Amino acid sequence: MDQSFILFADLQLGRDNGHLIFRYPNLMFSGGVSSSLIVGLYKLLVPVSPENINWHIRIFAMTSYLGSSFLLIRQLISATALRLLALTIIATSGFQFIQPSSEIFAGSLLIMFLFSVSVRWPFWISSLLLAMFGLAKVEFIVASLVLAFFWWLWERRRGHPHALWALVLTVVWLGLMLLPCLFVEGANLQRFDRSMGSFLPTYVELFMPHQFSPSGLSIDDITRQLKAGEFREAHSFLQFVIQHPGLYVNYLGLSALKGLPYFVHSLKFMLIPMACVLYAKPQHGRPLLLLLLIAALFTLVPTWMLSYVRIRYLVKLFPVFTILAISGCEELGPSRPWVNLVVWASGIGTIFWQLIYFNDIWAKSHFL
């Protein structure tokens, strides 16, 4: 399954029949480049058996997820009570257990990027974090480039004399980490395209319950029938869209409705304080809110085009969403006292909601 990328991540040099072997991560696989690099480096530094590597990486991913969230909480939230509230909300979500761990690493990298630009770390560090976020999954590359563009504009507005380096260094890091992938795997990335393999089973899953005469076949069986029958000429996702635009529009509508409950179940009552923040528009966190919106838009829309939005796809956004909602309410509190009541009621309600489903999140961490 998707978590299996940790078994194949390997940065060791070896020889086979006199030929040098180097298994650089493949961008198209579930671990992407950056998550596989993190796992591969971990294997080089920490001796661990194949039987235990999954637990090692899951614990490491959880630690990075919660640790980076703690850093951003300390940076953006001043009141100790609100800091504890934010950290408790994130910890009780159970999202730190979600698999594949590449989703957790992606969230940690996004959090650390926002933290680094908040404390004004050197551009080469922040841009590296952003590039690694972009290479956590193939569909995040566009998001990282758009984030880099708006980061550049933000730094220029802050008066930084070398603001353009924010964008330039991000592109350089992306290129440097992609070049070995192209060298090892070849430049023809189309042969690694998994879009149709992801799209068609989801298409069948969404439409099967609406059949008046159920066939009794499994999703895999029906998928194979469609590949051999009605959709035999659609060898890629793009071909399917071009050949069957009407069916694809129907799919997008059903996919949006299917994903809506997962969206609400992921963000829960924290949607309420975030709505207050977006309505009142506090000044301090506006650039970070814009960066969060960009990250959400350019990572969730590609997912929606191929699949419905599941809980795992919102994991990377949840800590930043929670922290910015509470931080914004803290800024609004002195002028709007009712906001304090809203954030505490929503936060406590979210914690109770999460505790009810905490065991389910842990037990079903690979299927959410």
Side-chain angles (χ1 to χ4, degrees):
M1 299 180 73
D2 289 343
Q3 183 72 356
S4 64
F5 80 92
I6 65 173
L7 296 175
F8 303 109
D10 186 2
L11 300 183
Q12 288 184 332
L13 293 174
R15 285 190 175 276
D16 184 16
N17 295 326
H19 298 285
L20 187 66
I21 298 176
F22 178 54
R23 298 180 179 89
Y24 193 80
N26 189 320
L27 177 63
M28 299 298 177
F29 293 167
S30 61
V33 170
S34 54
S35 297
S36 296
L37 285 176
I38 292 172
V39 174
L41 184 60
Y42 185 93
K43 287 181 175 180
L44 290 178
L45 298 176
V46 181
V48 59
S49 66
E51 293 77 17
N52 296 325
I53 184 62
N54 186 41
W55 292 109
H56 276 251
I57 297 305
R58 290 186 67 186
I59 293 170
F60 181 56
M62 175 186 68
T63 303
S64 64
Y65 188 74
L66 296 178
S68 58
S69 298
F70 175 72
L71 290 177
L72 191 61
I73 288 170
R74 288 197 62 186
Q75 177 63 24
L76 300 183
I77 301 174
S78 301
T80 301
L82 289 177
R83 286 178 175 178
L84 290 172
L85 178 67
L87 189 59
T88 304
I89 291 172
I90 296 169
T92 58
S93 68
F95 291 166
Q96 62 270 28
F97 306 130
I98 291 291
Q99 300 178 73
S101 298
S102 53
E103 299 286 351
I104 309 300
F105 285 128
S108 304
L109 290 166
L110 177 62
I111 297 166
M112 287 305 301
F113 164 68
L114 295 178
F115 172 77
S116 68
V117 298
S118 299
V119 299
R120 311 199 76 162
W121 280 358
F123 280 165
W124 71 270
I125 298 178
S126 300
S127 59
L128 174 60
L129 291 168
L130 179 55
M132 290 186 69
F133 167 73
L135 295 176
K137 295 181 73 174
V138 63
E139 59 264 33
F140 294 175
I141 292 181
V142 174
S144 65
L145 290 172
V146 179
L147 284 168
F149 177 79
F150 279 89
W151 175 30
W152 162 47
L153 296 180
W154 180 22
E155 292 292 349
R156 189 176 69 171
R157 188 172 182 178
R158 291 163 76 171
H160 199 295
H162 306 294
L164 184 59
W165 282 103
L167 176 59
V168 172
L169 286 173
T170 303
V171 175
V172 169
W173 280 120
L174 285 170
L176 287 175
M177 287 190 284
L178 275 177
L179 278 177
C181 180
L182 297 177
F183 178 77
V184 173
E185 301 292 346
N188 184 17
L189 295 180
Q190 186 176 2
R191 65 193 178 99
F192 298 109
D193 184 9
R194 300 188 305 153
S195 59
M196 196 60 177
S198 300
F199 167 72
L200 198 53
T202 307
Y203 180 93
V204 174
E205 177 189 350
L206 291 179
F207 283 95
M208 272 182 62
H210 300 276
Q211 303 305 309
F212 290 104
S213 301
S215 63
L217 299 175
S218 67
I219 290 178
D220 292 337
D221 291 335
I222 297 178
T223 300
R224 283 191 288 269
Q225 285 186 355
L226 289 176
K227 283 182 178 179
E230 289 86 342
F231 302 149
R232 61 183 177 276
E233 296 180 359
H235 301 294
S236 69
F237 169 72
L238 183 59
Q239 286 180 329
F240 178 92
V241 175
I242 294 173
Q243 295 173 6
H244 308 280
L247 294 179
Y248 183 62
V249 170
N250 293 337
Y251 164 83
L252 287 178
L254 190 56
S255 174
L257 291 175
K258 176 74 172 181
L260 184 59
Y262 294 105
F263 183 85
V264 174
H265 185 72
S266 297
L267 303 179
K268 308 173 187 75
F269 294 120
M270 296 311 296
L271 287 165
I272 301 173
M274 179 56 80
C276 296
V277 170
L278 294 176
Y279 174 77
K281 299 177 182 177
Q283 296 297 315
H284 181 66
R286 289 181 69 180
L288 293 179
L289 277 171
L290 178 59
L291 291 174
L292 173 63
L293 178 61
I294 292 170
L297 183 65
F298 284 89
T299 58
L300 295 181
V301 169
T303 299
W304 170 50
M305 293 175 67
L306 289 171
S307 178
Y308 55 89
V309 176
R310 307 168 190 260
I311 291 177
R312 70 171 66 176
Y313 302 136
L314 291 157
V315 164
K316 59 186 171 291
L317 305 171
F318 181 73
V320 179
F321 184 92
T322 300
I323 294 167
L324 290 181
I326 294 177
S327 174
C329 288
E330 182 181 34
E331 183 179 347
L332 295 171
S335 59
R336 298 174 174 84
W338 56 270
V339 171
N340 295 318
L341 179 62
V342 168
V343 71
W344 277 103
S346 300
I348 294 173
T350 297
I351 291 170
F352 277 108
W353 184 336
Q354 292 178 157
L355 289 175
I356 293 172
Y357 290 98
F358 188 84
N359 190 60
D360 289 336
I361 295 291
W362 161 257
K364 302 174 182 177
S365 61
H366 208 138
F367 306 96
L368 297 172

